[in-house]
C-alpha cells in the first residue's frame, strides 16, 4: 500500500497552487458578486484544466480522476466560494459522460467544451423533486429524426452560462413509462427554439448561475441522444459517481483554505492574556477538525483511485462515491463554522471572507449532486446486501 501521490501528481498540485493563489484567490469576492470572469476560464483552459478527463481526439487529455480530484481540491482552495470548482467539476464529470456514451454528438460538442467556449451541464432535477430521479416527468417523444421535449427542469447549474456562452445540458427525459428503465439522456442545446430559461437567486456560490429550463415542444435531433434509449438513468448514475468524488475534493479544498485562515488567526489573537491557540478548547477543536479533514481527504482520494480502476471496483464505486459526498461537504461545513466562531465577531463580517465558503459549501449539504439522505440510501443498499 502506498498513500503518496506520484511525482507528476505532486508537481501538478504545486504548479497549480502557485497559479491559482495568484490568479484566483485575490478575486474570490469579485467571483461571488460578479460571476466567474470569462478570461479566468480561458486561462484555466490554457493550463489544460477544462474537462480534464475527456479524450485527446476531442481536445482533452484523458486525465485520471485522481489528477482531476487534485485540481478540484486546488481550485476550491483558491476560490473557496466553490463557484469556480463547481464549474470545473461539472465540465470534468459531464464531459466524461458525453465522451464515454455520446457517440453521435461528442465530436461536435466536446471540443467547444474543452476550449471553454461552451458550457456543459446536467439537467435532472424537476420542480416536483430531485432525489427521486426514477420518477422524473419531462417527456420526450420520437417524431421522425427528432425528439420532441415537453417539461421543466429546475435548480440547474450553468443555465445562464449555457445561454450566454453557448452549450447545453445532458438532460434526463422520460421516453417510456417504466421508472428508471424508461429514462433517456439527451443533449439539449440551450439556444434551441422552445427552451425558455430563467435564473434563481441562490444564497451561495453565486459565481455560477442556477436556473430553470422549460421545454415547450423542443425539437432535438435524434443524434443528440446519449448512448441507447432508456439507458439514461445508468449514464447519469455513472456521471454522479464521478462528480460526487470531485465535489468532495472541492469541499475539502475550500475547508483547507478556511482552516489555514483560522489557524493563523488563533496564532495571533489574544484572549484572557494568551493566544487563542493556547486555549485548549480551541487547540483541541482545531486538532479534531484537522483530523476529520484528513479522514475525508483519504476517503475521497480512495474513491478517486477506484474510479481510475473502474474494472476492479465497479460494484463498490457507487457506495464509495456516496461516502465521499457524505463526508466531504459535512466535514468542510463543520470546519468553516468553527473557524467563523474562533474569529468571533470578525468571522461574521464580509471582510473575513469566511461567510463566502460557508454559503458555498451549504449548496452541497442541501442537495447539489445528490442530497445527503440519498447518499445514505446508496451506502445502505451496499452494506445490507
Ligand atoms: C446550488 C444547487 C445547484 C444544483 N445544480 C443542479 C444541476 O446542475 N442539475 C440538476 O439536475 N440538479 C441540480 N441541483 C438540484 C439537486 O440535485 C437537488 O437539490 C437534489 O437532488 C435534491 O432534490 P430536491 O432539492 O428536490 O429535494 P427533495 O428530493 O425534495 O428532498 C428534500 C429532502 O428530503 C430528503 N429525502 C428525499 N427522499 C428521501 C428518502 N427517501 N428518505 C429520506 N430522506 C429523503 C432529502 O435528503 C432532502 O433533504 C442543484 C441544487 C442546488 C442547491
Amino acid at each position: 500500500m502506498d498513500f503518496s501521490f506520484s511525482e507528476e501528481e505532486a508537481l501538478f498540485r504545486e504548479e497549480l497552487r502557485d497559479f491559482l493563489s495568484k490568479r484566483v484567490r485575490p478575486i474570490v469576492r469579485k467571483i461571488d458578486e460578479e460571476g466567474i470572469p470569462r478570461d479566468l476560464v480561458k486561462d484555466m483552459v490554457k493550463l489544460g484544466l477544462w474537462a480534464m478527463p475527456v479524450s485527446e481526439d476531442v481536445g482533452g487529455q484523458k486525465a485520471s480522476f485522481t489528477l482531476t480530484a487534485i485540481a478540484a481540491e486546488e481550485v476550491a482552495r483558491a476560490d473557496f466560494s466553490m463557484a469556480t470548482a463547481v464549474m470545473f467539476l461539472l465540465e470534468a464529470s459531464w464531459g466524461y459522460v458525453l465522451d464515454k456514451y455520446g457517440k453521435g454528438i461528442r465530436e461536435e460538442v466536446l471540443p467547444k467544451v474543452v476550449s471553454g467556449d461552451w458550457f456543459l451541464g446536467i439537467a435532472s432535477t424537476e420542480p416536483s423533486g430531485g432525489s427521486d430521479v426514477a420518477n422524473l416527468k419531462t417527456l420526450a417523444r420520437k417524431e421522425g429524426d427528432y425528439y420532441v421535449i415537453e417539461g421543466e427542469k429546475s435548480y440547474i447549474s450553468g443555465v445562464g452560462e449555457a445561454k450566454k456562452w453557448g452549450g447545453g445540458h445532458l438532460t434526463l427525459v422520460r421516453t417510456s413509462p417504466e421508472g428508471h428503465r424508461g429514462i433517456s439522456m439527451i443533449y439539449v442545446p440551450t439556444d434551441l427554439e422552445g427552451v425558455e430559461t430563467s435564473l434563481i437567486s441562490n444564497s451561495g456560490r453565486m459565481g455560477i448561475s442556477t436556473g430553470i429550463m422549460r421545454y415547450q415542444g423542443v425539437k432535438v435531433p435524434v443524434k443528440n441522444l446519449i448512448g441507447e434509449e432508456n439507458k439514461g438513468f445508468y449514464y447519469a448514475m455513472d456521471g454522479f459517481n464521478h462528480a460526487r468524488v470531485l465535489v468532495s475534493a472541492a469541499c475539502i479544498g475550500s475547508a483547507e483554505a478556511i482552516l489555514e485562515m483560522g489557524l493563523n488567526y488563533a496564532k495571533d489573537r489574544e484572549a484572557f492574556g494568551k493566544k487563542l491557540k493556547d486555549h485548549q478548547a480551541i487547540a483541541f477543536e482545531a486538532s479534531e477538525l484537522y483530523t476529520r479533514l484528513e479522514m475525508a481527504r483519504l476517503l475521497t482520494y480512495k474513491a478517486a483511485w477506484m474510479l481510475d480502476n473502474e474494472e476492479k471496483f465497479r460494484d463498490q464505486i457507487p457506495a464509495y462515491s456516496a461516502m465521499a459526498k457524505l463526508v466531504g461537504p459535512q466535514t468542510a461545513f463543520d470546519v468553516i463554522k468553527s473557524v467563523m466562531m474562533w474569529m468571533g465577531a470578525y468571522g461574521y463580517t464580509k471582510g473575513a471572507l469566511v461567510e463566502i465558503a460557508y454559503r458555498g459549501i451549504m449548496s452541497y449539504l442541501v442537495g447539489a449532486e445528490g442530497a445527503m439522505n440519498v447518499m445514505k440510501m446508496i451506502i445502505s443498499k451496499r452494506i445490507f446486501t
Side-chain angles (χ1 to χ4, degrees), residues 8 73 128 134 172 232 309:
E8 182 210 352
E73 186 183 348
S128 56
L172 294 185
N309 293 279

Side-chain angles (χ1 to χ4, degrees), residues 122-125 129-131 155-157 202 205 363 366-369 371 373 377:
I122 172 74
S124 165
T125 305
S131 300
Y155 308 108
I156 306 303
S157 300
N202 270 335
R205 62 177 234 197
S363 72
V366 298
E369 303 286 354
N373 282 352
M377 284 160 72

Side-chain angles (χ1 to χ4, degrees), residues 373-384:
N373 282 352
V374 171
M375 298 308 107
K376 291 176 192 171
M377 284 160 72
I378 296 169
I379 299 161
S380 56
K381 199 168 155 197
R382 162 110 197 137
I383 61 181
F384 284 112

Side-chain angles (χ1 to χ4, degrees), residues 162-182:
K163 185 89 183 163
K164 235 189 306 177
W165 306 352
H169 288 75
L170 299 178
T171 307
L172 294 185
V173 292
R174 180 154 302 288
T175 38
S176 155
E178 290 100 48
H180 73 281
R181 291 200 186 87

Side-chain angles (χ1 to χ4, degrees), residues 23 27 36-46:
R23 180 68 180 87
I27 58 166
I36 301 166
R38 211 66 189 92
D39 58 354
L40 171 59
V41 171
K42 290 293 183 176
D43 285 352
M44 290 174 73
V45 165
K46 277 187 214 147

